[in-house]
Amino acid sequence: MKSLVMLSLLLTPLLFSFSNAALDPDSVYQSFLQCLPLQTTESADDLSSIVFSSTANSSAYTAVLQAYIKNQRLNTSSTPKPSVIITPTTESEVQAAVLCSKKVGVQIKIRSGGHDYEGISYISSDPDFIILDMFNFRDIDVNIADETAVVGAGAQLGELYYRIYEKSKVHGFPAGVCPTVGVGGHLSGGGYGTMLRKFGLSVDHVIDARIVDVNGRVLDRKSMGEDLFWAIRGGGGASFGVILSYTVKIVQVGEVNTIFRIMKTVAENASELVYKWQSVMADIDDDLFIRVLLQPVTVNRQRVGRASFIAHYLGDADSLVALMTKNFPELGLRKEDCVEGSWIDSVLYWANFDNTTAPEILLNRHSDDINFGKRKSDYVQTPISVSGITSIFNKLVELGRLGFVFNPYGGKMNDIAPDATPMPHRAGNIFKIQYSIGWSDPDPELERNYLNQTRVMHDFMTPFVSKNPRGAFLNYRDLDIGVMTGDNYNEGKVYGEMYFMGNFERLVKIKTAVDPDNFFRNEQSIPTLPGKSSGKCVGLDCVQVSSRGYYREARKKMLIQMSFLVLCKIFLG
């Protein structure tokens, strides 16, 4: 009896001291090994092979963690590391991982490709988190007869493009130019590519999906309902559940595609050409997409501004030259500037492979060079004058490293309502800006300098870009524009309205309905409605907990249980 009294006295303070304590990684690992078999019929041995810990199988853990880190800026010794990485191979393993994460009381980060520019799919500001890495979910089933493809969330865009190419030389899919981007993040954030003006966003072609929700259920479009289906097509899937796969409509791209690249410095009238480009792209043939890169370059030992006009045209060179001669003669396009090929050839060109590279390179999940980088975004709704463009060139040269990517809108983007999907930036935008900076030297001072360049330029661009609110693109994740701690609606609204404009409030309502305790969360996820909570019987008592308190209570319960077992062994033998 005396031992039990002593045990009680020692245990009581744990109720108050453990709510904010970090969990021991090995304890988290052991907890998952014990919990997972209880949530699925799969064997414990099979389940143990998909769980990685820095304490139990450290070399494998490190290899899995680093395999899909696509930004070395987020791969340092001080970067927060997950307690556990789970690499499911079946839907039931995903279900079990979700349920056990709730039971253990750890945050779950969902990674499909690792290209998120701020790394929030594999790092966290929370002390206790795990990674659910979906790279094993990369099956792709292309059906040319009905022009659909079912693609796993962990598949990469390059793999999807290749599997379509295997079945048809005249079909493709409108998505990004980087082949190693994961499908799950790309499509759930919006997704776009060089066929934007012809076919719209990637999410405009999603017709079904499979997702694991907060209760561990596998849902498709019919069972999840149209609200949730709407939300995960541009609102960020990781706010609502774990995307397993998307079903998409593929598109016809023709037998011949044409590309060109023309570069002009400021001395060669680059400012005037960029100014004209703004008006040309608004009404030109939807089959044509011309991206413009603005960069500081060295010419004759002097830093100058340069514009590169890079095109993808769904047609042959003769018709493209005729089109450009009529609408944009100032650029001086000639047939010899053009390269004809199939759609898959254009994919390889835009991915920066040379013309001798076989399409099979798209199956290489690590074909990209991994360096340090930062991205930001803006939307331009009023044409920038020649003098304004010249000032932008001058500022880029002054800063020295940063570059711009201008992506034209118009075409199909004008035809789709801003609330058709959560991604609202449609008609009214002339082009989207990506701020782009990359480097290979790990020097921290260089990093501070380069990150500062992006912020200085973002401030400089304020007079030229959208306002009230200033827009931003979710797939160009940028934590500078706001971060949410816990489930703070007001913090979430800051970046939420920039990413989603008038669609933000609908996303919040859907989030509150399907995940009221904010289990699926990250630094820029969708918050729940303020003041909302749900009754949960957790810990030692049945209490009302907020979405942030839910994790504290679950973590407290686990720590108390572990401590109780240890103390029992000490005092009771």
Side-chain angles (χ1 to χ4, degrees):
M1 180 60 69
K2 189 174 182 179
S3 296
L4 288 175
V5 171
M6 182 66 71
L7 175 60
S8 177
L9 291 173
L10 289 171
L11 184 59
T12 299
L14 297 176
L15 289 169
F16 304 98
S17 62
F18 280 159
S19 61
N20 293 312
L23 298 173
D24 173 59
D26 190 59
S27 298
V28 176
Y29 174 70
Q30 296 298 332
S31 296
F32 272 94
L33 291 185
Q34 294 168 16
C35 178
L36 289 171
L38 303 178
Q39 304 296 338
T40 179
T41 58
E42 297 182 34
S43 72
D45 288 340
D46 289 339
L47 292 167
S48 66
S49 67
I50 65 167
V51 184
F52 301 89
S53 163
S54 60
T55 57
N57 42 15
S58 59
S59 60
Y61 165 92
T62 301
V64 172
L65 175 62
Q66 295 188 352
Y68 294 100
I69 292 179
K70 300 296 184 178
N71 188 346
Q72 292 295 350
R73 181 168 65 87
L74 309 169
N75 188 26
T76 69
S77 57
S78 60
T79 302
K81 305 296 191 298
S83 300
V84 163
I85 305 171
I86 300 177
T87 60
T89 60
T90 66
E91 291 185 352
S92 66
E93 289 173 354
V94 176
Q95 294 173 280
V98 168
L99 295 172
C100 289
S101 296
K102 292 172 65 178
K103 181 177 178 62
V104 174
V106 294
Q107 183 186 24
I108 188 169
K109 290 298 189 89
I110 307 159
R111 183 166 72 173
S112 63
H115 268 272
D116 51 326
Y117 289 126
E118 301 284 19
I120 64 173
S121 65
Y122 51 86
I123 62 176
S124 178
S125 54
D126 276 28
D128 303 309
F129 72 102
I130 71 163
I131 295 174
L132 186 65
D133 201 317
M134 299 296 289
F135 66 82
N136 287 316
F137 279 71
R138 54 180 185 261
D139 288 347
I140 300 170
D141 181 17
V142 177
N143 187 325
I144 296 299
D146 62 7
E147 296 186 318
T148 63
V150 180
V151 52
Q156 295 182 344
L157 295 181
E159 293 173 310
L160 174 59
Y161 299 156
Y162 184 84
R163 297 307 175 196
I164 295 172
Y165 159 79
E166 274 187 320
K167 297 287 186 70
S168 170
K169 304 304 183 282
V170 294
H171 284 85
F173 184 71
V177 302
C178 182
T180 59
V181 167
V183 165
H186 190 68
L187 268 62
S188 70
Y192 83 100
T194 63
M195 297 191 290
L196 170 81
R197 303 184 69 257
K198 177 70 172 182
F199 297 112
L201 300 174
S202 304
V203 290
D204 298 329
H205 300 266
V206 175
I207 59 174
D208 206 342
R210 289 177 69 80
I211 182 174
V212 173
D213 75 353
V214 69
N215 297 310
R217 300 174 300 175
V218 176
L219 306 174
D220 61 8
R221 179 175 183 172
K222 182 178 180 180
S223 56
M224 78 175 74
E226 288 302 303
D227 278 342
L228 181 53
F229 182 65
W230 177 84
I232 63 173
R233 290 178 296 135
S239 287
F240 303 96
V242 183
I243 305 296
L244 299 170
S245 67
Y246 280 113
T247 302
V248 301
K249 291 289 289 185
I250 61 177
V251 300
Q252 296 186 24
V253 295
E255 293 184 3
V256 179
N257 287 225
T258 305
I259 51 92
F260 71 74
R261 179 190 297 259
I262 293 178
M263 295 180 288
K264 300 288 185 179
T265 64
V266 171
E268 297 169 315
N269 296 322
S271 295
E272 290 78 4
L273 291 171
V274 174
Y275 173 74
K276 178 65 181 291
W277 168 86
Q278 295 175 97
S279 61
V280 167
M281 295 310 299
D283 300 311
I284 205 166
D285 194 312
D286 295 355
D287 288 336
L288 179 60
F289 178 93
I290 304 177
R291 169 179 284 181
V292 181
L293 308 183
L294 272 58
Q295 300 166 287
V297 297
T298 300
V299 177
N300 296 325
R301 299 183 181 180
Q302 183 178 3
R303 295 294 277 178
V304 299
R306 185 181 72 188
S308 300
F309 297 82
I310 311 170
H312 178 200
Y313 177 62
L314 297 167
D316 61 40
D318 286 332
S319 61
L320 175 57
V321 172
L323 181 66
M324 291 292 289
T325 300
K326 177 182 177 181
N327 293 277
F328 199 0
E330 296 87 348
L331 193 60
L333 180 69
R334 304 164 300 168
K335 187 172 182 180
E336 50 263 42
D337 297 320
C338 301
V339 179
E340 292 183 333
S342 64
W343 178 75
I344 205 70
D345 292 328
S346 75
V347 167
L348 295 170
Y349 176 86
W350 277 84
N352 295 318
F353 295 114
D354 62 42
N355 58 10
T356 65
T357 305
E360 284 70 22
I361 190 67
L362 299 173
L363 300 178
N364 182 347
R365 295 175 65 84
H366 301 284
S367 61
D368 48 347
D369 294 324
I370 308 301
N371 289 313
F372 301 78
K374 171 69 178 179
R375 301 292 188 271
K376 299 175 80 67
S377 61
D378 261 316
Y379 289 90
V380 173
Q381 299 174 335
T382 302
I384 304 175
S385 66
V386 173
S387 62
I389 294 167
T390 300
S391 72
I392 292 170
F393 272 123
N394 291 340
K395 192 65 175 179
L396 291 174
V397 170
E398 175 192 325
L399 292 173
R401 184 83 180 188
L402 180 71
F404 272 157
V405 183
F406 289 179
N407 296 288
Y409 268 39
K412 186 71 173 179
M413 293 295 283
N414 288 339
D415 300 333
I416 301 173
D419 60 355
T421 70
M423 213 299 286
H425 308 288
R426 305 278 191 165
N429 294 290
I430 303 173
F431 61 96
K432 173 170 56 188
I433 300 176
Q434 179 186 141
Y435 299 65
S436 178
I437 193 165
W439 64 97
S440 56
D441 190 328
D443 182 354
E445 186 57 38
L446 277 180
E447 178 175 320
R448 282 189 289 271
N449 176 25
Y450 292 150
L451 294 181
N452 184 61
Q453 286 189 30
T454 67
R455 293 158 186 159
V456 168
M457 196 70 199
H458 193 259
D459 288 342
F460 179 85
M461 291 297 294
T462 301
F464 304 114
V465 300
S466 62
K467 301 171 180 64
N468 302 318
R470 186 172 184 167
F473 181 44
L474 183 62
N475 281 144
Y476 294 166
R477 183 80 72 177
D478 179 14
L479 295 183
D480 290 346
I481 67 174
V483 173
M484 183 170 63
T485 55
D487 190 21
N488 188 313
Y489 169 86
N490 290 325
E491 290 177 342
K493 186 176 181 179
V494 174
Y495 59 80
E497 290 191 337
M498 294 179 74
Y499 287 138
F500 307 114
M501 311 294 279
N503 294 329
F504 173 69
E505 293 298 339
R506 183 180 176 188
L507 287 168
V508 171
K509 291 177 182 177
I510 296 169
K511 169 70 173 182
T512 305
V514 303
D515 184 17
D517 293 309
N518 197 26
F519 173 73
F520 292 110
R521 75 187 195 281
N522 58 55
E523 286 74 10
Q524 282 192 342
S525 57
I526 303 297
T528 60
L529 285 169
K532 295 292 183 179
S533 63
S534 63
K536 294 285 181 181
C537 286
V538 294
L540 300 181
D541 302 296
C542 187
V543 296
Q544 285 287 110
V545 294
S546 68
S547 55
R548 184 165 179 80
Y550 175 84
Y551 286 89
R552 264 198 306 269
E553 294 297 330
R555 184 164 62 243
K556 182 196 295 183
K557 179 180 179 181
M558 177 186 171
L559 284 163
I560 290 174
Q561 289 173 339
M562 292 178 349
S563 299
F564 187 84
L565 292 174
V566 172
L567 292 172
C568 280
K569 289 181 180 179
I570 295 173
F571 287 98
L572 304 179

